[in-house]
Amino acid sequence: MTLKIRVYSDFVCPFCYIGDSQLKEAIKGKNVEIEWMPFELRPVPVEPLSVKTSYIQDGWKFSVKPMAERFGVKMTLPDIDPIPRTHLPHEGFQFAKEYGKADEYVDAVFQAYWVHEKDISDINVLGNIAEAIGLNKDAFIEALHNRTYAPTHKDALKHAYEEAQVTAVPTFFIGDQKIQGVHTKEQLVQIINEKVSIQPTGDSCSVDGC
């Protein structure tokens, strides 16, 4: 039976990018299904943070950068000020999901921001990302201009905030177990293995009978 894992994250969350790298390693060779779930750390009308503040600079220097180095994740603090809003990349995710490119899109947007320092609130930047993973760039850009997927994204946020009660990211639901924050590959493997081993199989028949 396939184990379902839901991942709540925001593209401008550095710990989400690091946590994603550990999850990828943990699920190798395992029968799991990943479902990416949008979350906005600072949705409109909350003011975006400046990358120049001591909060961001100290957080990067004393927390994010050491953790990234420990986990072997190559990333940089993007020199984009203020930190981009993420409703448009999340709406773009809904487009990618509809066309079967959810995983590729999430990876590409994370890398565009944390590796290549691209402004992921820019529709043209997002259009180039979509094209690079095989999506129709013109249709993608038109959908973002028209806010076609805004209602879908709004519903996803409502689910995250109210139903799943996610208050910080990354948050993982591995089966029915809620896990918050960055965990090592080994920790995730242990949890996944435990969940796989206790999944109910239901009634069945064998060669010896039913």
Side-chain angles (χ1 to χ4, degrees):
M1 181 180 293
T2 302
L3 176 67
K4 294 186 177 182
I5 301 177
R6 283 181 288 146
V7 183
Y8 294 81
S9 62
D10 196 2
F11 293 116
V12 294
C13 164
F15 298 114
C16 292
Y17 184 53
I18 297 172
D20 175 57
S21 72
Q22 297 304 293
L23 179 63
K24 285 179 184 175
E25 291 296 318
I27 65 174
K28 285 183 177 178
K30 300 187 182 301
N31 185 20
V32 301
E33 177 184 323
I34 303 295
E35 184 177 10
W36 300 101
M37 308 296 291
F39 187 91
E40 283 188 52
L41 288 168
R42 302 186 73 79
V44 177
V46 180
E47 286 297 317
L49 292 173
S50 170
V51 74
K52 298 177 182 178
T53 62
S54 58
Y55 172 76
I56 296 297
Q57 293 292 326
D58 289 348
W60 173 262
K61 182 178 179 181
F62 298 112
S63 183
V64 178
K65 186 177 179 181
M67 181 180 289
E69 291 174 347
R70 188 165 70 250
F71 287 132
V73 178
K74 294 182 179 180
M75 60 190 299
T76 187
L77 177 61
D79 187 20
I80 301 171
D81 196 49
I83 294 173
R85 293 194 183 277
T86 55
H87 57 282
L88 287 178
H90 281 306
E91 289 175 27
F93 164 77
Q94 297 297 342
F95 180 101
K97 181 179 179 181
E98 183 173 324
Y99 289 95
K101 294 283 188 176
D103 291 349
E104 295 92 331
Y105 181 85
V106 169
D107 288 345
V109 175
F110 267 133
Q111 290 183 28
Y113 186 65
W114 290 109
V115 178
H116 304 296
E117 298 188 70
K118 300 292 186 181
D119 183 356
I120 57 171
S121 65
D122 186 307
I123 288 181
N124 291 321
V125 169
L126 293 171
N128 290 335
I129 292 171
E131 183 178 40
I133 63 171
L135 293 170
N136 185 306
K137 180 179 179 179
D138 292 338
F140 179 91
I141 288 177
E142 182 179 5
L144 291 192
H145 274 302
N146 294 338
R147 305 297 304 278
T148 304
Y149 292 87
T152 306
H153 175 54
K154 183 178 179 180
D155 288 343
L157 288 184
K158 182 178 181 180
H159 160 78
Y161 299 148
E162 299 179 8
E163 297 176 33
Q165 297 185 341
V166 174
T167 57
V169 286
T171 292
F172 308 90
F173 280 82
I174 302 178
D176 59 356
Q177 184 174 347
K178 183 178 182 180
I179 302 164
Q180 185 174 299
V182 177
H183 288 66
T184 66
K185 176 189 73 174
E186 291 75 19
Q187 290 171 325
L188 292 171
V189 166
Q190 181 179 351
I191 296 168
I192 291 170
N193 287 341
E194 289 173 355
K195 290 298 177 183
V196 169
S197 67
I198 64 174
Q199 285 193 82
T201 58
D203 296 332
S204 63
C205 295
S206 70
V207 293
D208 298 318
C210 298

